[in-house]
Amino acid sequence: MKTNISITSVGAVSALGSAESEVWEHYKQERHFLRKHDFAGTEAFGAFLPERLRLEIEQLREENPNFKKVDDSVLFGVYASRKAVQKAVWEKGEEIGINIGSSRGATSLFENYHRDFLQNGKANTLTSPNTTLGNISSWVAQDLQTKGVEISHSVTCSTALHAVLNGVAWINSGMTQKFLAGGSEAALTPFTISQVQAMKISAREDMDYPCQALNLQKKQNSMVLGEGAAVICMEAGERENALALISGVGYATERLKHSVSISANGSAFQQSMKMAMGDLSPAEVDAIVMHAPGTIKGDLSEMKAIKAVFGKELPALTTNKWKIGHTFGASGTLSLELAILMLQQGEFISVPFSSESKAPKKLRNILVNAVGFGGNAVTILVSLPKQTREKAF
């Protein structure tokens, strides 16, 4: 890191809502936001947007004729971006870099278009433009009328944090002063649910907490999918209105045995966490928002990586997937949202059923982890701004 980068706002939509106060109140409750749903004859758990928020998304669709045929992943991204930019007090027409990615992309639209093709033998005219990964960033740029670069990508579940990495690189290069980064996912569809079930990683039991993320004693996989989007506004230097600072970034890719494998000792996570910490002592890391998808191997691998890096004195550990599900490409910045809220509020959000999740004495530096298929791990170190530290401590 050449210099600290300020996070001046967060815009998000998830099963917890979108308003900061609402999201924080829901985080403080020991209940989850997962429910069973009939996905075209297959019953499975999912974490859906609240009905009130879903209505607001549909109102957004009616605002612009071009929005009527876009995928929900685009609308989630536009909605979250509007929130973030408004809170950061950025103006329309500014030079702003944008990178909003997605793991699955235009999932619902693609499935609908493909179904029509199988039935009629012809593709809909808008099939190609409406299902490209570039839809999210390009439509956000159109909506905000920005002048900067627009980037889209898919790095599966580490997509959003890879977008943050790109934002750091662009700002540190001097090519932009402001960057909007994050991810959006609207993959609660029958085909996506079927894919997850085929890998035998989804939650099957109707327990008090269907997703057992960070329960290291669980005997079966318990991943639950969620939908949502989250973006952060990033600015060069330490700003007076900074919610948190990006004070370190790390990334690594490990060798795979097959497309969805992960090493038993989480080698990629070990590398990415060490890189993100840089010269910071492990004792100065107060908490980690883990990727912890709720699978047996995924949770254990990440925990072994943390123990390898930190030894016996572990930071406080938490995750939000037991509460809002795994939102694939959006999950990294939704985890960042949790980390930033904890820094701002000075309060740790634990996992109620996990013996590994205990509150720290202080919250100044928090690591946020994400990893995706392909062994692509990313870690972001977020810290309290200097002025906030001086007031609080």
Side-chain angles (χ1 to χ4, degrees), residues 2 10 19 38 98 101 121 134 164 181 183 191 210 261 272 290 297 336 353 373 378 388:
K2 290 184 178 179
V10 180
D38 185 343
I98 298 174
V164 175
F191 186 48
S261 68
S272 67
M290 295 172 60
K297 289 184 178 180
L336 260 182
F353 53 81
F373 292 157
V378 179
T388 308

Side-chain angles (χ1 to χ4, degrees), residues 17-28:
S18 64
E20 182 180 310
S21 58
E22 174 189 31
V23 171
W24 181 244
E25 279 304 311
H26 285 159
Y27 264 126
K28 293 202 295 182

Side-chain angles (χ1 to χ4, degrees), residues 4 238-239 242 245 383-392:
N4 285 334
E238 187 164 342
R239 302 284 178 167
L245 300 177
S383 307
L384 273 177
K386 183 178 179 182
Q387 65 268 24
T388 308
R389 289 189 184 211
E390 291 172 349
K391 291 178 183 178

Side-chain angles (χ1 to χ4, degrees), residues 60-70 126 130 139:
L60 173 60
R61 188 187 298 278
E62 295 301 317
E63 279 185 25
N64 185 336
N66 291 314
F67 286 168
K68 290 187 177 181
K69 293 186 178 181
V70 300
L126 296 178
N130 282 351
W139 278 119

Side-chain angles (χ1 to χ4, degrees), residues 363-383:
L363 283 169
R364 294 185 181 181
N365 300 298
I366 300 178
L367 290 176
V368 180
N369 282 340
V371 69
F373 292 157
N376 296 288
V378 179
T379 301
I380 306 295
L381 175 64
V382 286
S383 307

Side-chain angles (χ1 to χ4, degrees), residues 33-49 54 72 107-108 111 115 185-197 202-204 223-227 324-326 328:
F33 290 76
L34 317 177
R35 62 179 173 87
K36 275 192 171 180
H37 181 75
D38 185 343
F39 293 91
T42 298
E43 195 173 59
F45 290 99
F48 296 83
L49 300 188
R54 172 62 68 174
D72 281 351
T107 316
S108 292
E111 291 178 23
R115 187 184 307 111
E185 208 70 62
L188 288 175
T189 66
F191 186 48
T192 309
I193 293 295
S194 180
Q195 292 175 64
V196 173
Q197 290 180 336
S202 57
R204 289 169 289 180
M223 197 174 85
V224 175
L225 299 191
E227 62 182 4
I324 64 170
H326 191 348
F328 285 163

Side-chain angles (χ1 to χ4, degrees), residues 157-158 161 250 268-270 272-274 276 287-292 302-303 305-306 310 317-319 321 331-333 335-336 366-371 376-381:
C157 303
S158 54
L161 293 195
F269 268 138
Q270 290 187 46
S272 67
M273 286 188 289
K274 288 177 182 178
I288 302 176
V289 181
M290 295 172 60
H291 181 72
E302 187 175 3
M303 178 59 75
I306 291 169
F310 291 92
L317 305 176
T318 192
T319 180
K321 292 183 179 64
S331 62
T333 35
S335 292
L336 260 182
I366 300 178
L367 290 176
V368 180
N369 282 340
V371 69
N376 296 288
V378 179
T379 301
I380 306 295
L381 175 64

